[in-house]
Amino acid sequence: MFTSTHLLRTRRFLPLFVTQLFNAFNDNLYKTAMVLFVVYQIYNSEEAEGMFSAVASGLFILPFFILSALAGQLADMRDKASIIRKVKACEILLMVIGASGLLLAWKGYELPVTLFGIETSIPVLLMLLALFMTGIQSTFLGPIKYAILPQHLRKDEVLAGTGLVEAGTYIAILAGTILAGWIPVEVAAIAIIATSIVGYLISRQVPEAPPLGKVEELDWHILRASRKLVVDTMHNREVFYAILAISFFWTIGAVLFIQFPPLAKNVIMASKEVASIFLVVFSVGVAIGSVAINALLKGNVSARYAPQSVIAMGLFVVAFYFVAKFWAADKPTELLDVASFLAWPMATVLLLCLLGIAVAGGMFVVPLYAFLTTRAAPDQASRTIAANNIVNSGAMVIGSLLVMGMSAAGIPIVEQVLISAGMCLISAWLGRRLLNAERHAAAAAAA
């Protein structure tokens, strides 16, 4: 705790931490406001709502898969602080585009248009375009927010710094999600522009972080660079299994986040404020898990608790499924506000299941990110994170397509939750493999 408090008082950590905080806050304020507005105000079909939620999620994730190799190269070959400032400046423009879509939809301007044979509207296209560009922005910031830590922090501070960044990210997600569910959409449109401006001003205080190794030529061939990046990273067994385990974790998270809004509206019969509470509880839980695992490991980077954590997560997912099934058997006839939801039988159990999923998930994933920055060579750290983003995003896009396929096939949204529990078993196996690789590496170093 002392280390964490100390880091928050230093310029080598605080501006980066706050910049990331504002970035995560703004991303989630926009994404959640957009999805809740479309689900609750534009569509009136569980299938259409589930499809839109999956499309939105896939569009946000796709840039990670396409551009992570370029982002990783840039982060290792250029000053990381300079990249942060340029990306944050671009955020102002993309939030203006997103706000325009929200305001046009709020005003009721449908402006129908047909794209690739699909009927949609210009406001929806503007919202999705901004979401895609937000994904691009996050793609270029992703390798930096972890890879810059070993450059500015001491070795014994890296795990604490990683935990703080992870916990801060989810606190920001919490704040953005709460606001998105409670403030009018027109206020959200103004807020995302204002937040992007403040975030850019704070990013200018991040200390310089020049490249640590030899500056090479950028490989602009995206597919070749992506393949090379992943192959070059995967030779380290600890990094290899950490990346695979993180990928399955975020696939589980993506599937759950896609399902939450339509599940809240159509199964729980909850208002958009209650839907935001679901996302809030999830975010709080991950933040709690992030801090708890740092305390348990006492600053050591280890996968000691990874298998148990993700098994616990899977059990909570199964419990959530059964609670949702019982709820659906005797659900309300009209949408519940927050007070009515909390007074409904089993509401507390439902929220505790969500909290358990998130706490266990946070305990699982935080040490894995620390593996990526501490087991890779310092001049390769950004590219290691970028390789992780490529594999993560590919897995998450597959998860989004799976949800789209299940929604198109008419599989009820509550039944789709069980696939997340099955993926937890795979993550537990990968966590065990990572732990074995960690012990083997420690024995080899001791010998």
Side-chain angles (χ1 to χ4, degrees):
M1 182 63 69
F2 173 78
T3 301
S4 301
T5 305
H6 170 68
L7 288 177
L8 290 173
R9 295 198 300 266
T10 63
R11 184 171 178 263
R12 57 198 172 95
F13 180 76
L14 182 61
L16 174 71
F17 176 76
V18 177
T19 297
Q20 169 59 21
L21 205 74
F22 271 78
N23 193 72
F25 168 81
N26 216 26
D27 282 358
N28 284 275
L29 174 60
Y30 173 65
K31 284 191 296 182
T32 308
M34 183 196 73
V35 171
L36 291 179
F37 180 76
V38 171
V39 167
Y40 279 87
Q41 301 297 327
I42 295 181
Y43 294 128
N44 193 28
S45 156
E46 179 180 311
E47 179 183 333
E49 292 154 9
M51 186 71 73
F52 177 83
S53 186
V55 168
S57 179
L59 277 177
F60 179 75
I61 296 163
L62 189 59
F64 288 91
F65 186 67
I66 298 172
L67 298 172
S68 284
L70 180 59
Q73 291 180 81
L74 281 171
D76 277 334
M77 298 175 187
R78 303 288 188 270
D79 186 287
K80 298 177 182 65
S82 176
I83 295 174
I84 290 173
R85 287 190 278 272
K86 290 173 182 174
V87 171
K88 293 299 291 180
C90 292
E91 181 188 358
I92 299 172
L93 173 62
L94 70 91
M95 285 303 169
V96 169
I97 295 173
S100 300
L102 288 173
L103 290 173
L104 286 171
W106 169 64
K107 284 289 189 180
Y109 296 116
E110 295 186 5
L111 305 172
V113 64
T114 301
L115 185 67
F116 303 121
I118 301 173
E119 292 185 2
T120 183
S121 68
I122 288 177
V124 171
L125 287 179
L126 285 174
M127 288 187 278
L128 291 176
L129 172 63
L131 186 66
F132 180 71
M133 293 171 67
T134 301
I136 295 175
Q137 174 209 16
S138 296
T139 300
F140 282 90
L141 285 181
I144 295 174
K145 72 177 182 180
Y146 293 110
I148 202 173
L149 295 180
Q151 197 164 344
H152 286 162
L153 305 183
R154 297 191 303 270
K155 188 175 181 179
D156 61 342
E157 295 175 332
V158 172
L159 183 60
T162 304
L164 279 173
V165 168
E166 199 71 12
T169 297
Y170 285 99
I171 290 171
I173 291 171
L174 162 66
T177 304
I178 288 175
L179 278 180
W182 288 84
I183 65 176
V185 70
E186 65 272 21
V187 176
I190 297 170
I192 59 176
I193 297 174
T195 304
S196 64
I197 294 171
V198 175
Y200 167 71
L201 294 175
I202 294 172
S203 72
R204 295 184 63 85
Q205 302 303 312
V206 177
E208 303 301 315
L212 297 175
K214 180 182 177 182
V215 178
E216 307 164 8
E217 289 293 325
L218 280 173
D219 186 350
W220 292 95
H221 192 295
I222 294 174
L223 293 178
R224 180 179 62 213
S226 298
R227 181 182 178 279
K228 183 178 185 301
L229 189 64
V230 173
V231 170
D232 288 350
T233 302
M234 293 300 196
H235 70 275
N236 184 316
R237 280 168 53 84
E238 290 175 284
V239 171
F240 172 73
Y241 284 118
I243 287 176
L244 291 183
I246 290 170
S247 297
F248 270 94
F249 171 80
W250 283 119
T251 303
I252 296 166
V255 170
L256 290 173
F257 266 74
I258 288 168
Q259 294 162 343
F260 278 165
L263 187 145
K265 179 186 176 184
N266 298 291
V267 178
I268 309 301
M269 294 297 291
S271 65
K272 72 183 184 74
E273 290 80 8
V274 179
S276 73
I277 287 177
F278 281 11
L279 301 175
V280 164
V281 169
F282 196 86
S283 301
V284 169
V286 175
I288 292 171
S290 301
V291 175
I293 194 64
N294 183 49
L296 282 173
L297 292 173
K298 297 179 173 62
N300 297 314
V301 178
S302 173
R304 189 185 318 153
Y305 298 104
Q308 303 95 308
S309 297
V310 78
I311 286 292
M313 181 179 173
L315 292 175
F316 278 115
V317 171
V318 173
F320 177 81
Y321 164 78
F322 281 112
V323 173
K325 288 286 286 185
F326 287 133
W327 192 295
D330 185 27
K331 66 182 180 182
T333 55
E334 57 185 29
L335 294 181
L336 300 172
D337 59 20
V338 173
S340 301
F341 167 76
L342 294 176
W344 198 263
M346 298 191 75
T348 302
V349 178
L350 189 75
L351 292 176
L352 286 175
C353 288
L354 280 178
L355 185 66
I357 292 169
V359 171
M363 294 180 66
F364 174 73
V365 78
V366 166
L368 306 188
Y369 276 109
F371 263 99
L372 301 186
T373 55
T374 58
R375 299 305 195 263
D379 63 336
Q380 297 287 321
S382 294
R383 274 173 278 195
T384 301
I385 298 294
N388 171 66
N389 288 344
I390 291 171
V391 180
N392 285 184
S393 55
M396 291 167 73
V397 167
I398 291 172
S400 298
L401 292 173
L402 182 61
V403 173
M404 290 172 63
M406 290 189 292
S407 296
I411 298 175
I413 200 78
V414 70
E415 302 296 337
Q416 297 179 22
V417 172
L418 280 181
I419 193 169
S420 299
M423 287 190 288
C424 286
L425 295 176
I426 300 174
S427 290
W429 177 78
L430 290 169
R432 185 66 187 176
R433 299 286 293 183
L434 173 59
L435 183 58
N436 290 338
E438 175 194 340
R439 289 170 175 169
H440 179 78

